[in-house]
Amino acid sequence: MTTEAIPSKLAEIIDEFQELTEQDRLQLLLDFSRELPDLPERYNDHPELLERVVECQSPLFLTMEIGEAPERLVHLFFSAPPEAPTTRGFAGVLLEGLDGLPAADLLAVPDDVPDRLGLTRAITPLRMRGMSAMLGRIKRKIRDAR
Amino acid sequence: MTLAPDTQDKFVEYAHPERLVSTEWLAANLGADGLVVVESDEDVLLYETGHVPGAVKIDWHTELNDEVTRDYIDGEGFSRLMASKGISRDSTVVIYGDKSNWWAAYALWVFTLFGHEDVRLLDGGRDKWIAEGRPITTDRPEIAASEYPVVERQDAPIRAYLDDVLEHFGKPLIDVRSGDEYTGARTTMPAYPEEGALRGGHIPTAQSVPWARAAAEDGTFRSRAELDAIYRDEAGLKDGDDVVAYCRIGERSSHTWFVLTYLLGFENVRNYDGSWTEWGNAVRVPIVKGTEPGEAPALPPRTTR
């Protein structure tokens, strides 16, 4: 069993959200949404490599590239349409907080991390589940890839 | 002060054409005295990515619902909300939103609980406005202070509670959820998160007419003839019927309520907002699984329920 730990970059993002008023937290989530990069070209021609996270209210596609052992660095790739800024925002937070880290670090991220952003009241618990589902999917795919 | 209606041919066919405006009408009337444009979306951040110039945002979850009781805001809450959005009792309010106006229709239904007289939907909603390349902005609108009276909410004409539905058997019920939710194969919309219903199925005798059938590809409402074919010919609704529509939490069925009331002219349509998240969890309340509407259950007398 891995010990739970929040990677430092993700911890910084959580602090950033926590320091803001609720209205400004939404604005920050919107910034993450705007900054979510497009998929690299190699995925544009291969949509079958992307997996849909069905628990998200809006279409969100996810894929990962996992490097060699022992570190097994994980790269994350997300795709969601511009009409789904909340979903894009969640993906942006996870990308900036977790991309490029070793697989073991990702598996150690506590499952309740989305609740720590302080968005639950404004976003609704239901919508927050979309983000938990993304994190759950990332962990499951890492475990499956072993 | 209210604005003149949009008199285009498609709308004239509807029972209450004054409840709809086209994107052309809105573009021509933007900035008019007495007009307030409201955006109501499912995605809480969508308005911030760009909206119709001058439009204000209303969030269904944080602004229309009571935070503690599962209910809508009261008259005082609505009065405060309207004043904060620059809406007066005589404003012409045009509401638009994402996903074929699904959440816009929900907001319009809540406005109607408070008897706001002139409230209309933008046919085709947000997607059509954007698809036509009409202007959007991220500028926050300057809201002129307004006063809005405290009006008591009138639920009875357009809102049904669980007990009303239990006493409704024998009269038409319309289930507007997806086919799999109706049969009980699943309890949430495809691709949507679990919202916690313990049982899957539908209210006995309810006809299945998924809400989105009322919308065309471009998100506009289908024509009068198409809607008559769906709701009268197929679902068997007749003039004078007392109809209850429901979905999962009452948002999709607001869309159907709008169609039946304003486009087809049914005068007794209520939205059961408790919907499946209440009915599917309530103790000793009958449900039916599968594709058939099923029979009206024999209910025990109220006192023993």
Side-chain angles (χ1 to χ4, degrees):
Chain A
M1 189 67 209
T2 347
T3 330
E4 291 198 339
I6 302 183
S8 59
K9 261 193 129 170
L10 186 59
E12 277 171 36
I13 296 172
I14 291 172
D15 288 346
E16 214 180 324
F17 272 98
Q18 287 295 345
E19 282 161 18
L20 297 171
T21 62
E22 195 170 273
Q23 192 51 47
D24 287 344
R25 285 175 196 169
L26 287 177
Q27 197 56 46
L28 181 58
L29 189 67
L30 186 63
D31 293 343
F32 276 104
S33 160
R34 290 199 173 109
E35 288 158 14
L36 184 71
D38 292 337
L39 285 175
E41 244 168 61
R42 61 185 180 278
Y43 286 112
N44 290 339
D45 302 332
H46 293 282
E48 75 280 3
L49 296 176
L50 299 169
E51 188 175 334
R52 179 166 180 158
V53 182
V54 294
E55 296 89 342
C56 293
Q57 286 195 333
S58 303
L60 173 89
F61 294 89
L62 161 70
T63 194
M64 292 159 50
E65 292 172 4
I66 303 176
E68 296 295 316
E71 280 217 295
R72 302 178 76 223
L73 298 182
V74 178
H75 285 286
L76 302 168
F77 302 93
F78 294 98
S79 172
E83 309 85 69
T86 304
T87 297
R88 288 177 62 87
F90 291 156
V93 167
L94 293 176
L95 183 71
E96 192 170 315
L98 301 177
D99 188 53
L101 295 175
D105 291 10
L106 265 66
L107 289 175
V109 175
D111 290 333
D112 69 344
V113 147
D115 300 333
R116 303 187 194 189
L117 297 173
L119 286 164
T120 306
R121 193 189 152 277
I123 297 272
T124 82
L126 178 63
R127 291 159 172 160
M128 289 308 298
R129 274 186 233 163
M131 188 172 184
S132 306
M134 285 181 212
L135 180 61
R137 183 65 63 92
I138 291 168
K139 290 183 173 187
R140 204 193 73 206
K141 281 176 79 89
I142 292 175
R143 288 193 194 101
D144 288 353
R146 268 179 186 164
Chain B
M1 204 212 86
T2 59
L3 277 74
D6 185 344
T7 54
Q8 62 162 276
D9 292 349
K10 176 191 167 192
F11 297 167
V12 172
E13 303 280 316
Y14 295 133
H16 296 278
E18 74 279 7
R19 293 294 173 180
L20 281 179
V21 302
S22 59
T23 49
E24 295 82 27
W25 184 96
L26 184 59
N29 283 279
L30 272 189
D33 261 359
L35 173 69
V36 180
V37 184
V38 171
E39 178 162 340
S40 172
D41 297 318
E42 179 181 63
D43 192 304
V44 71
L45 288 180
L46 195 51
Y47 170 89
E48 281 79 7
T49 67
H51 51 81
V52 172
V56 297
K57 166 188 176 178
I58 290 186
D59 183 61
W60 63 278
H61 175 79
T62 55
E63 295 184 307
L64 297 178
N65 286 354
D66 186 276
E67 209 173 330
V68 182
T69 309
R70 182 173 171 187
D71 198 0
Y72 300 96
I73 50 175
D74 61 10
E76 290 192 3
F78 190 71
S79 159
R80 278 196 301 274
L81 178 69
M82 292 300 98
S84 75
K85 305 293 176 185
I87 298 171
S88 309
R89 190 69 175 162
D90 61 355
S91 297
T92 293
V93 177
V94 170
I95 311 182
Y96 72 97
D98 58 354
K99 307 197 171 170
S100 306
N101 276 330
W102 165 359
W103 299 94
Y106 187 57
L108 185 143
W109 181 74
V110 175
F111 272 65
T112 308
L113 290 174
F114 294 96
H116 189 93
E117 200 175 307
D118 189 2
V119 55
R120 317 179 190 184
L121 284 185
L122 173 67
D123 195 26
R126 178 183 166 95
D127 287 349
K128 186 161 192 277
W129 182 269
I130 289 174
E132 290 170 349
R134 298 185 187 274
I136 57 168
T137 178
T138 53
D139 294 345
R140 283 177 182 273
E142 274 178 44
I143 296 177
S146 68
E147 280 183 29
Y148 199 96
V150 175
V151 184
E152 201 185 328
R153 210 178 65 214
Q154 294 288 337
D155 287 347
I158 61 167
R159 184 179 185 197
Y161 302 135
L162 181 89
D163 280 350
D164 299 328
V165 181
L166 284 167
E167 281 159 23
H168 189 79
F169 290 120
K171 296 177 230 164
L173 269 163
I174 303 287
D175 184 317
V176 315
R177 298 170 302 158
S178 57
D180 278 353
E181 291 172 87
Y182 180 81
T183 60
R186 56 184 310 142
T187 55
T188 60
M189 278 177 284
Y192 272 65
E194 177 56 57
E195 264 176 296
L198 290 175
R199 280 171 178 70
H202 56 267
I203 300 180
T205 74
Q207 296 278 331
S208 168
V209 187
W211 72 279
R213 293 190 60 195
E217 303 289 301
D218 63 355
T220 57
F221 287 105
R222 293 200 178 277
S223 69
R224 176 68 189 255
E226 290 169 320
L227 294 175
D228 275 334
I230 295 169
Y231 294 98
R232 288 179 199 269
D233 304 347
E234 249 182 74
L237 296 183
K238 295 180 299 294
D239 285 334
D241 271 349
D242 176 359
V243 187
V244 169
Y246 71 94
C247 56
R248 182 185 41 119
I249 56 168
E251 14 64 275
R252 284 175 285 178
S253 42
S254 300
H255 190 272
T256 299
W257 166 84
F258 182 90
V259 170
L260 294 178
T261 303
Y262 293 130
L263 306 187
L264 297 182
F266 289 94
E267 285 170 12
N268 292 303
V269 185
R270 284 174 294 164
N271 178 21
Y272 169 40
D273 60 280
S275 278
W276 199 254
T277 52
E278 180 178 43
W279 193 277
N281 287 322
V283 176
R284 302 186 72 201
V285 161
I287 69 165
V288 172
K289 288 179 176 288
T291 53
E292 293 304 316
E295 300 295 319
L299 292 171
R302 270 194 79 101
T303 45
T304 62
R305 281 215 299 266

